[in-house]
Amino acid sequence: MILRQVFLALIVIAFAPLADAQLPKQLSEALKPPATNVAASGKSTDPRAQAEELLADARRQQDEERLKNAGRDPEDLQTTARQRLLERLVMLYGERLKLLDELAMLQNTDLETANQKVLMAELAGPPPYSALRADALRDENDSLKAQLKSLAAAERALVDQQAGLVASRRLADEAVRLAEDRLARAGGRDEIDKNRRSRELAELRRQQTEAELSTIVLGLDIVHLKQKKLQPLSGEMDDLLARALPAQRLSKDDFEQQQARLRGTLAKVSGEIDRMVADNSRRAAERARLAALPQDADPNGARAQRLRLLDEQMETDRLTLMTLTWLQGMIQVAGDSWGQRFVAFSSDDTATRQAVITALRQTRRDISSRKDLFRELQEAARLDVRQQEQRLDEAVLDGDSKARESAILETLKKRVQAYQRVEFAGSRLDSQLKRWLTDFGFDPETGRVDNWKLGALQVAQALKRLWDFEIFAVEDSTVVDGKTVTITYGVTVGKSVGAIFLFVFGYWLFSVLSGRLQRLMVERFGVEEQIASVIRRWAMIALAVVLVVFILNLARIPLTVFAFMGGALAIGVGFGTQTIIKNVISGIIVLFERKIRVGDIIALNGVTGYVTQVDLRASTVRGFDGVEALVPNSSFLENQVVNWTYSNARIRREIRIGIAYGSPVHAAAEIITGCADDHGQVLKDPQPEVFFEDFGDNALLLVLVFWVELGPNLMGRRVDSDLRYAMEKRLAAAGITIPFPQRDVHLDVSQPLAVRVSRAAGGEPGPQA
């Protein structure tokens, strides 16, 4: 851009003599730079002096323009535009002077206020520090941070405007060059005058753009200077507060002073409420009087407008009374919060401080819950104000009507002010509560605490709230002195958990004691194991019922809590547990009849083994292969059960053996009988016997019949195996053979064999029979 301007300047200088020689005198005068440029290029280097010169020159041109246009047509567009531009220039140059004065004043002024200096000096001394003075310094710091935030926003806006004005100045420069080019090519006087005025307007617009840009630059300088002076002050305040806040104290005198201030504010609000009530009563009386007048007494509608105004004012009084009542309650809450703060500062007890934190958090939640209501009411009131302003702008009203509509507008604005007052008070109290919670080690944003003791106490309180949480409530009716008294019991989580814990502990204790009682009955009193087990189980059922009733009474949970489950639960239990009930009843029958006992060997549904346990619902049978099966008790009553040891443990066994045809049968029988007699687990009574059972296909079949007594350490299969080993050995020693199946093949040779010749696979003939 700079090179382009230099190039254009060189072209103008080179062609200037030729233009002066060829153009008329008017055109040569038109190409001369305007007077403002001469003034702007004065020798003074002081920015303020230059601004004064520019302002003086702009005013001079403005006065000359007024004198020049005194007799001209006011509808001339170029004349009107030139006047507006000159007025704009005068205003911008005046604004530049003000900004220069402000910048000079800022350069020589310390932005730190006297109050800030006093507060910082007080908190820079040794601790302890007054909490009220710390609050005052925090207010100053918050105001300072808000100012810095506003300056940052202003800086962004000015930078955006500066970028736009730089582009506008470039366009203005191009417009001036184009106007000069058209003026240089103009031929007649009228055309030269017209283009000269156009060139002057373009030059004025460029001067306006430059003036606006200079104003923006000065504004940025002021913003940067303020930021340069305020940011170190804010950092110093932050450091000072970080050091002083942990050592702040709220003395009793400061607390009473604050309470007295709040009482004074509360008295003022009460006085406002009294005055508002009196004004509302007066307006109500006036409205009643106007409403009682006859209809023909108001021919032009003035009474109706007055009634409307009174209605709006009375509604405003009502809403203002409501907001004053809210404000009154908020002041009382602030007093209570200050009391909580004083308690927290006066005590080092962790539980007390945690109670204060809980109370302040609850207060802050209550205030926050009302913020949305305040905003909605305030927005609705602002909407009414905008509608009334639009009505005033669009309607054509006489003087009295306009005055009444304006009065209605002012009344509506009072509603907005009332809501704003409450919202401001709530925001300030919320900010104070947030500060106090931070001072006590609680972060309101994240909910974390800096002190581990407070954190542990918060966890304990949360658990306590969960412990005391009421699941539901139940009413219990009792008769006292002939009167029915209804008492409401709350069933809490703590009661439920405690009842469950007591039941589990009591049941475990009773289970241990009943187990010892069972062993005592069996070992000392000679009670059978099965009977002792039955007694133990029924005792556990009875003790469990007694334990449930005892625990419910101890936890003050009435039995009527379960009454609501009566009908539906009975139906559901009836359908859902019919199989369980059937098995339980069957188990009771089995236990009492004692047809199936622990230790019996039974066969049921393909399962054969020892009965190891008989419970109420199912029994356990361990098979000979070691696999245990749970058999529902109803199966013992519904199916055929083979109990090998029901009356006694004796069982008859049979072993079949074959000997070869031609062997001595009696000798073989004696050998087999001797094997049985020699076995120690074969019963002697009844004696083992050998029977000649049948003539088999391949052997003579003998059967050994003997008896054994089954027990935990004796299985019939083991005895059978021992006897077979013995019989095989003795029979072999006696030369008696135990045959196996054989087949004889006979060949008939009474006729000659048929012989024929067939061709083999390789093509050679071969014989074949």
Side-chain angles (χ1 to χ4, degrees):
M1 178 62 72
I2 296 175
L3 293 176
R4 181 181 177 185
Q5 290 178 352
V6 172
F7 179 73
L8 291 174
L10 291 175
I11 292 176
V12 172
I13 292 173
F15 287 95
L18 182 61
D20 288 339
Q22 295 178 355
L23 293 177
K25 181 179 180 180
Q26 294 87 349
L27 182 58
S28 298
E29 293 178 354
L31 287 173
K32 293 181 180 179
T36 54
N37 290 340
V38 176
S41 61
K43 296 181 180 181
S44 177
T45 58
D46 182 15
R48 195 179 193 288
Q50 292 179 359
E52 289 178 348
E53 292 176 1
L54 290 173
L55 178 61
D57 186 69
R59 286 176 176 172
R60 179 182 57 77
Q61 291 187 57
Q62 187 181 23
D63 294 338
E64 291 177 356
E65 187 68 20
R66 288 174 180 171
L67 293 175
K68 186 189 300 183
N69 298 328
R72 291 187 178 180
D73 184 8
E75 299 297 330
D76 189 355
L77 296 179
Q78 288 189 343
T79 301
T80 306
R82 182 178 176 82
Q83 290 177 352
R84 286 199 301 268
L85 289 173
L86 288 172
E87 291 175 358
R88 178 67 177 169
L89 275 177
V90 170
M91 183 193 70
L92 289 173
Y93 290 146
E95 184 67 22
R96 182 189 294 185
L97 281 175
K98 293 179 182 179
L99 292 176
L100 287 171
D101 293 338
E102 183 179 356
L103 183 61
M105 183 183 65
L106 283 174
Q107 290 173 349
N108 301 321
T109 303
D110 188 6
L111 296 183
E112 185 180 7
T113 63
N115 187 32
Q116 292 174 352
K117 292 180 180 179
V118 172
L119 291 172
M120 294 179 68
E122 290 181 0
L123 296 181
Y129 307 104
S130 171
L132 296 183
R133 306 303 290 170
D135 290 344
L137 184 60
R138 280 196 282 196
D139 290 338
E140 293 288 343
N141 193 21
D142 290 345
S143 177
L144 189 58
K145 289 185 182 300
Q147 188 176 356
L148 285 172
K149 186 176 180 180
S150 177
L151 288 174
E155 180 185 12
R156 291 192 296 269
L158 290 174
V159 169
D160 293 339
Q161 291 183 10
Q162 185 183 24
L165 287 174
V166 168
S168 300
R169 184 180 62 180
R170 183 172 62 253
L171 295 177
D173 292 339
E174 294 176 359
V176 170
R177 289 192 295 272
L178 291 175
E180 289 177 350
D181 184 62
R182 287 195 298 269
L183 180 60
R185 294 195 302 268
R189 175 181 292 275
D190 294 336
E191 187 178 357
I192 291 175
D193 292 341
K194 179 180 179 182
N195 288 308
R196 184 179 66 248
R197 287 194 296 270
S198 298
R199 200 279 307 270
E200 291 175 354
L201 288 176
E203 181 64 29
L204 288 176
R205 291 191 180 96
R206 182 174 65 179
Q207 292 178 12
Q208 175 184 338
T209 304
E210 291 178 351
E212 290 177 349
L213 186 59
S214 300
T215 303
I216 294 298
V217 172
L218 285 175
L220 283 173
D221 291 340
I222 292 174
V223 168
H224 292 159
L225 183 58
K226 287 183 178 181
Q227 288 176 336
K228 183 179 179 181
K229 290 190 173 186
L230 292 179
Q231 285 175 351
L233 181 60
S234 177
E236 185 179 356
M237 286 186 181
D238 289 336
D239 297 338
L240 188 60
L241 287 172
R243 184 179 60 84
L245 288 179
Q248 63 176 329
R249 294 292 181 270
L250 182 61
S251 64
K252 186 175 181 180
D253 293 338
D254 291 342
F255 172 67
E256 291 179 351
Q257 176 185 350
Q258 184 65 26
Q259 292 293 88
R261 187 183 67 82
L262 290 175
R263 286 194 296 270
T265 305
L266 190 61
K268 292 180 180 178
V269 174
S270 299
E272 291 183 26
I273 291 176
D274 295 337
R275 289 192 296 272
M276 189 64 63
V277 170
D279 293 342
N280 189 264
S281 300
R282 178 178 55 79
R283 292 190 179 98
E286 183 180 358
R287 189 190 187 289
R289 181 182 60 79
L290 289 175
L293 294 177
Q295 295 292 335
D296 54 0
D298 185 26
N300 54 1
R303 187 189 65 170
Q305 295 180 358
R306 179 61 181 170
L307 285 174
R308 178 169 172 265
L309 174 60
L310 288 174
D311 290 338
E312 294 293 343
Q313 290 176 342
M314 291 174 66
E315 179 64 17
T316 301
D317 292 343
R318 185 185 69 81
L319 296 177
T320 306
L321 282 173
M322 180 179 67
T323 56
L324 289 175
T325 304
W326 289 346
L327 186 61
Q328 197 176 36
M330 203 170 297
I331 295 172
Q332 294 173 352
V333 170
D336 296 337
S337 300
W338 274 95
Q340 294 287 345
R341 189 188 188 194
F342 178 71
V343 170
F345 275 122
S346 303
S347 176
D348 294 332
D349 183 40
T350 305
T352 302
R353 181 158 291 191
Q354 179 58 36
V356 170
I357 290 176
T358 303
L360 295 180
R361 288 180 63 191
Q362 182 60 41
T363 302
R364 191 164 181 260
R365 280 195 293 265
D366 294 341
I367 294 175
S368 299
S369 63
R370 299 179 183 178
K371 283 185 177 180
D372 295 336
L373 175 62
F374 295 157
R375 293 192 186 98
E376 291 177 2
L377 293 175
Q378 188 174 346
E379 186 61 29
R382 285 198 179 98
L383 180 61
D384 293 338
V385 170
R386 288 194 293 269
Q387 290 177 351
Q388 183 64 19
E389 289 175 346
Q390 185 177 4
R391 189 181 298 112
L392 275 173
D393 293 338
E394 295 177 355
V396 179
L397 304 173
D398 55 11
D400 294 339
S401 299
K402 189 172 183 179
R404 293 189 183 95
E405 294 295 332
S406 300
I408 292 175
L409 179 61
E410 294 300 323
T411 300
L412 296 177
K413 289 181 179 180
K414 288 181 180 179
R415 300 180 187 178
V416 179
Q417 294 173 359
Y419 292 134
Q420 288 177 343
R421 184 178 180 184
V422 176
E423 184 182 9
F424 175 77
S427 299
R428 177 161 181 79
L429 180 57
D430 181 74
S431 176
Q432 288 180 339
L433 293 174
K434 183 178 179 181
R435 288 179 183 173
W436 299 348
L437 288 171
T438 305
D439 293 343
F440 298 146
F442 178 81
D443 189 355
E445 301 297 335
T446 61
R448 296 181 302 178
V449 291
D450 298 334
N451 191 339
W452 69 269
K453 293 182 180 180
L454 287 176
L457 194 58
Q458 279 189 353
V459 172
Q461 288 184 350
L463 293 177
K464 186 177 182 301
R465 287 194 297 270
L466 178 62
W467 186 265
D468 295 334
F469 178 76
E470 186 177 79
I471 302 175
F472 57 89
V474 65
E475 294 183 352
D476 188 18
S477 300
T478 58
V479 179
V480 179
D481 296 334
K483 296 181 180 179
T484 302
V485 179
T486 302
I487 303 174
T488 303
Y489 294 97
V491 180
T492 62
V493 174
K495 286 184 179 182
S496 303
V497 173
I500 294 173
F501 174 76
L502 287 176
F503 178 78
V504 171
F505 176 75
Y507 192 84
W508 171 80
L509 182 61
F510 288 157
S511 178
V512 173
L513 294 177
S514 62
R516 292 186 178 181
L517 178 62
Q518 180 180 354
R519 289 194 299 271
L520 184 64
M521 287 188 298
V522 173
E523 296 174 359
R524 180 169 297 184
F525 298 101
V527 180
E528 294 185 7
E529 183 71 25
Q530 182 70 15
I531 298 176
S533 178
V534 172
I535 294 174
R536 175 177 176 270
R537 286 184 175 85
W538 281 105
M540 284 298 300
I541 293 173
L543 289 174
V545 174
V546 173
L547 183 63
V548 169
V549 175
F550 172 75
I551 291 175
L552 291 178
N553 289 330
L554 185 63
R556 298 184 63 83
I557 300 177
L559 294 176
T560 53
V561 169
F562 308 99
F564 72 95
M565 298 186 295
L569 186 62
I571 297 174
V573 168
F575 283 103
T577 62
Q578 56 181 350
T579 303
I580 298 176
I581 294 175
K582 179 177 68 173
N583 288 325
V584 169
I585 295 175
S586 300
I588 295 173
I589 295 174
V590 170
L591 289 173
F592 273 98
E593 288 186 349
R594 301 186 64 208
K595 301 292 185 179
I596 306 295
R597 293 169 295 181
V598 175
D600 288 349
I601 300 176
I602 65 170
L604 174 65
N605 294 331
V607 178
T608 304
Y610 294 96
V611 178
T612 59
Q613 191 173 2
V614 179
D615 291 327
L616 286 177
R617 189 189 66 84
S619 298
T620 304
V621 178
R622 186 174 65 245
F624 295 142
D625 56 359
V627 178
E628 293 184 335
L630 297 179
V631 180
N633 289 330
S634 59
S635 299
F636 294 121
L637 302 180
E638 296 175 353
N639 301 316
Q640 181 180 358
V641 181
V642 177
N643 191 342
W644 291 5
T645 57
Y646 174 63
S647 59
N648 57 70
R650 293 184 177 185
I651 185 174
R652 190 185 70 180
R653 305 286 293 177
E654 295 180 356
I655 299 178
R656 288 172 172 78
I657 187 170
I659 60 175
Y661 278 93
S663 301
V665 178
H666 289 284
E670 290 176 357
I671 292 173
I672 295 173
T673 304
C675 292
D677 292 336
D678 293 341
H679 199 286
Q681 292 179 331
V682 175
L683 297 180
K684 307 304 180 185
D685 185 19
Q687 292 182 353
E689 295 180 283
V690 176
F691 297 94
F692 191 165
E693 187 177 50
D694 199 359
F695 295 96
D697 294 337
N698 304 300
L700 302 174
L701 299 180
L702 302 179
V703 177
L704 172 63
V705 178
F706 62 94
W707 292 77
V708 295
E709 187 170 357
L710 299 179
N713 299 320
L714 177 62
M715 295 179 59
R717 181 176 295 181
R718 184 178 295 111
V719 177
D720 295 348
S721 177
D722 294 341
L723 291 176
R724 290 190 179 99
Y725 278 121
M727 287 187 292
E728 188 273 336
K729 182 177 181 181
R730 294 185 183 184
L731 290 174
I736 299 174
T737 305
I738 301 175
F740 52 88
Q742 299 181 15
R743 292 291 184 268
D744 292 336
V745 179
H746 298 277
L747 180 63
D748 187 5
V749 295
S750 59
Q751 295 179 357
L753 297 176
V755 178
R756 67 177 179 270
V757 179
S758 63
R759 188 175 296 276
E764 294 295 334
Q768 184 176 2

